Amino acid sequence: MKIEKLTLQKHINYSSELHFTGGQITRDGDLLLIERNVNEEELNPFDRPVLKRDWTIRIIKNEKIETVQLTNVPLIPEHIDLFSDGTLLIVQARCLKDGEYAERNARRYNMNGQLIEAFTLGDGIENMQIDEKDTIWVNYFDEGIFGNFGWEQTMGRDGLVAYTINGDKLWGAREYDIIDGCALNVVVSSEIYFYYYDDYFLVQLDNMKEKNRYRMEGHHWLNQFLFAQGNLIAQMDMNKLTRFKIRNQTITKGEGLELVDEHGKHIAGPVFLRGKFLYVYGRKGIYKREF
């Protein structure tokens, strides 16, 4: 397969002795990183009770780095985003239900690391992103849709659900019969994109109503994606990217992409896609491209 070189500029020098756990781009194009002590044991998402641990959140904004320390957190933060007031939402993907009890797997903090509130977003969370109206968008993988880990009536049965800032349900994508939510890209409330199995459609919502629908030719699995210059750039396997062509509402796989710096050297590391932004967390720093 032909490989296209895609050049990124170094955004900021950054390295850490802590262990990278996850991260996400905010709707404004900032980068959030979740870190923990590198000497801690491997984290099992099914171990209960979840041990209270300390976590470090990095907010990379305007070529500066802000740090938020979260202490004694009784969940594993796998998803993260910011509300419009600057408060932070962390979410654990797996959520135990035992009879009437359900874990509160979403926790909102201020920038001083103080807990504001905690609530439940259900089990089997694949992605979580927040729009400019502070609506929380959550898509769920199959176990979160059909039930597991104590859930019979699941919160994620619609596949994609929109919640208020406090975790109350606003809307669900039940009409799409989603059996596995693959990827999500929340740009603004009028540009919510989601890709799902088993129809392999990529859908754009405008204020919770369908605006566009694209068919994926070849039934490829996407983890992240963004629209760029009339095409689609998507992560399919770990940190590998591919350019897809769009024609007549059909998406067709094109060439692979190699991410390189301004000197043409390969950049390896975790990749983040959202809106019109692409970041890579490389060994020598964080690289960025805006489309």
Side-chain angles (χ1 to χ4, degrees):
M1 182 176 66
K2 182 181 177 182
I3 301 295
E4 172 193 349
K5 293 183 183 294
L6 189 65
T7 303
L8 281 70
Q9 301 294 320
K10 180 177 278 191
H11 183 61
I12 194 169
N13 290 318
Y14 181 72
S15 62
S16 177
E17 295 180 354
L18 299 179
H19 178 73
F20 168 78
T21 300
Q24 177 159 261
I25 302 171
T26 70
R27 63 190 173 278
D28 295 326
D30 303 327
L31 181 63
L32 307 175
L33 302 177
I34 307 170
E35 299 178 339
R36 63 181 176 89
N37 192 306
V38 72
N39 295 319
E40 288 186 2
E41 70 281 3
E42 289 299 316
L43 303 177
N44 185 334
F46 295 103
D47 282 346
R48 293 297 182 274
V50 178
L51 296 179
K52 293 182 178 181
R53 297 179 174 91
D54 297 343
W55 297 85
T56 299
I57 309 300
R58 310 289 188 192
I59 304 173
I60 298 167
K61 180 177 184 177
N62 298 328
E63 301 180 5
K64 295 182 179 179
I65 300 176
E66 300 178 33
T67 299
V68 180
Q69 299 290 350
L70 305 181
T71 59
N72 296 318
V73 180
L75 57 76
I76 301 171
E78 296 161 83
H79 306 289
I80 186 170
D81 209 344
L82 294 176
F83 290 110
S84 59
D85 63 0
T87 55
L88 190 71
L89 183 67
I90 60 171
V91 175
Q92 179 174 266
R94 304 314 304 248
C95 179
L96 174 67
K97 194 171 192 302
D98 185 2
E100 295 299 315
Y101 166 79
E103 286 181 313
R104 294 187 293 175
N105 64 325
R107 293 169 69 88
R108 182 182 175 200
Y109 290 88
N110 65 21
M111 293 295 288
N112 295 320
Q114 298 170 319
L115 179 66
I116 297 173
E117 63 179 328
F119 49 88
T120 302
L121 289 178
D123 184 46
I125 293 175
E126 182 71 24
N127 295 286
M128 182 280 298
Q129 296 179 6
I130 300 171
D131 70 20
E132 84 285 0
K133 296 180 180 179
D134 289 329
T135 301
I136 305 166
W137 292 85
V138 180
N139 71 334
Y140 298 82
F141 53 83
D142 53 354
E143 293 178 35
I145 295 171
F146 297 105
N148 194 16
F149 214 25
W151 291 83
E152 294 182 1
Q153 296 296 319
T154 65
M155 293 182 66
R157 59 188 174 274
D158 293 344
L160 175 68
V161 181
Y163 298 95
T164 68
I165 193 172
N166 307 112
D168 297 321
K169 184 177 179 179
L170 289 170
W171 177 88
R174 171 161 290 193
E175 65 183 275
Y176 294 93
D177 295 324
I178 299 170
I179 67 174
D180 210 332
C182 306
L184 178 69
N185 189 339
V186 174
V187 184
V188 291
S189 56
S190 59
E191 275 192 90
I192 309 291
Y193 299 97
F194 66 98
Y195 179 65
Y196 68 98
Y197 177 79
D198 66 341
D199 288 335
Y200 293 101
F201 283 123
L202 193 157
V203 176
Q204 179 189 354
L205 300 176
D206 181 345
N207 292 297
M208 303 180 186
K209 295 182 180 180
E210 182 175 317
K211 181 176 182 179
N212 283 304
R213 181 188 295 227
Y214 304 87
R215 181 180 65 86
M216 175 64 71
E217 187 177 81
H219 295 176
H220 301 288
W221 191 276
L222 308 183
N223 297 317
Q224 300 182 79
F225 63 87
L226 59 77
F227 288 87
Q229 300 158 343
N231 296 321
L232 191 78
I233 293 176
Q235 179 193 36
M236 298 177 61
D237 179 22
M238 296 298 289
N239 298 319
K240 296 180 180 179
L241 297 183
T242 301
R243 185 185 295 278
F244 288 78
K245 299 178 181 179
I246 303 174
R247 184 178 181 183
N248 297 327
Q249 302 300 107
T250 298
I251 301 174
T252 305
K253 186 178 179 182
E255 64 271 16
L257 297 175
E258 180 187 4
L259 302 179
V260 299
D261 66 15
E262 54 266 40
H263 305 293
K265 293 184 178 180
H266 177 72
I267 307 170
V271 173
F272 311 91
L273 306 172
R274 183 175 176 184
K276 57 184 178 180
F277 302 98
L278 189 163
Y279 281 91
V280 182
Y281 181 6
R283 289 186 301 170
K284 296 184 178 181
I286 292 172
Y287 298 79
K288 178 183 179 182
R289 178 156 177 167
E290 183 175 346
F291 294 93

